[in-house]
Amino acid sequence: MDGAPDGSSGRGEDLDGKEEPMTRNIRRKLWLGLGICAVLLPKPGRSQDAEFLRAEHLMDVQADFNQPTEVGIGKEGEILVLDGVNGQVKVFDERGRFLRAIGSAGEGEGQLRQAVGMDLDSHGNVYIADTGNRRVLVFNRGGVYLRGLDLTSLKARPVDVLVEEEGGRLYVSDREGHRIIVLTMDGAFVSAWGEYGEQPGHFRFPGMMALDADGAVHVVDVLNTRVQVFNPNGGRARQIGEWGVTFGKLFRPKGLAWGPDDTLYVSDSYTGVIQVFEDTGRYRGVLADREGRLLRLTTPVGMAFDRKGRLHVVQMETNKVSVFRIVEAG
């Protein structure tokens, strides 16, 4: 395994295309960035503009994870955790008890290398962005390997995959080409949009994605510190967030999840906070604990809500998935 499970140079770093192990200098920069955020990010009660959305911590899902990156929810409420370094998706019941593992580490058929993102369809099939092997793998709910969609000819290095069943499409976030690739469900190329840059519609390392009820594709644009929103054909509609370390800003966005009230939750792996936005881009608030203190997590990345409205958050550095119940605002 070269580098971190998010396909980056090390723990907590960006989806930036680097694959060599994290150097001491990069790690120093990481902690410097965290220190700056700790100083500049407003403390609870200091901002009149921030709404604190209280979240009750329910449990942690832990196993022999090694820097997990993504979490998904199965048809029966199962918790699926993508454990990229170990080359597996680990499956747990709703109470966090281990059930089974999907896949294994390697380069062969049905094996995973540097897998970063995943999605599930309505049948419970699991689609995995097998980053290191430049492909998307598909398993059924029970963990049986179904097929692989090779992206080598497109020179793509996928970091996330998004299933859009109604239109029969797969959206693939390609960190190497700085674009979104559209495929049929069988892997045939349909189109692609985006290129490297800072302009609207361009990307600097696109990452995790989410689909809204209208079929709009929301893409984390990691180094441009924003979430870009596109229609199904790639037309850019708007963006959510911009650079900053105060409330309503994004410093290093990573994960996306749609809340029960159709608000978009965005995790920030450097500041450790989870912020909430309306689909229009309007800032709604930031998660706090039951006592109203700002909720700071350790490298939060992938997120998912279950059918009970519980929020699951991967904390990559501490090798666990934390589960919260959103209690109330204020």
Side-chain angles (χ1 to χ4, degrees), residues 119-235:
D119 197 12
L120 286 79
D121 66 21
S122 61
H123 303 288
N125 296 319
V126 185
Y127 297 71
I128 305 171
D130 185 12
T131 310
N133 289 322
R134 296 180 181 269
R135 61 191 179 186
V136 173
L137 298 188
V138 187
F139 296 82
N140 71 14
R141 183 184 170 203
V144 176
Y145 172 70
L146 300 179
R147 63 187 181 276
L149 311 178
D150 184 28
L151 301 175
T152 305
S153 64
L154 298 175
K155 299 181 180 180
R157 193 173 290 273
V159 291
D160 199 17
V161 57
L162 188 62
V163 181
E164 202 279 282
E165 291 183 86
E166 185 174 340
R169 293 180 170 190
L170 297 176
Y171 296 96
V172 177
S173 181
D174 173 19
R175 76 142 193 250
E176 193 161 292
H178 305 280
R179 60 184 174 168
I180 302 301
I181 298 172
V182 186
L183 308 172
T184 66
M185 299 295 284
D186 293 324
F189 177 80
V190 175
S191 63
W193 69 75
E195 60 182 280
Y196 183 83
E198 301 178 19
Q199 298 301 314
H202 294 184
F203 297 102
R204 289 199 298 160
F205 306 102
M208 293 181 174
M209 301 180 288
L211 198 69
D212 71 15
D214 296 323
V217 182
H218 294 61
V219 185
V220 171
D221 187 5
V222 178
L223 291 191
N224 284 328
T225 63
R226 62 190 177 188
V227 177
Q228 297 202 68
V229 185
F230 299 86
N231 68 35
N233 296 318

Side-chain angles (χ1 to χ4, degrees), residues 290-310:
R290 284 295 299 266
E291 285 69 44
R293 297 183 297 258
L294 181 65
L295 185 63
R296 280 246 180 90
L297 305 177
T298 306
T299 322
V301 283
M303 301 183 293
F305 277 91
D306 65 15
R307 57 189 178 181
K308 297 179 180 178
R310 303 185 305 173

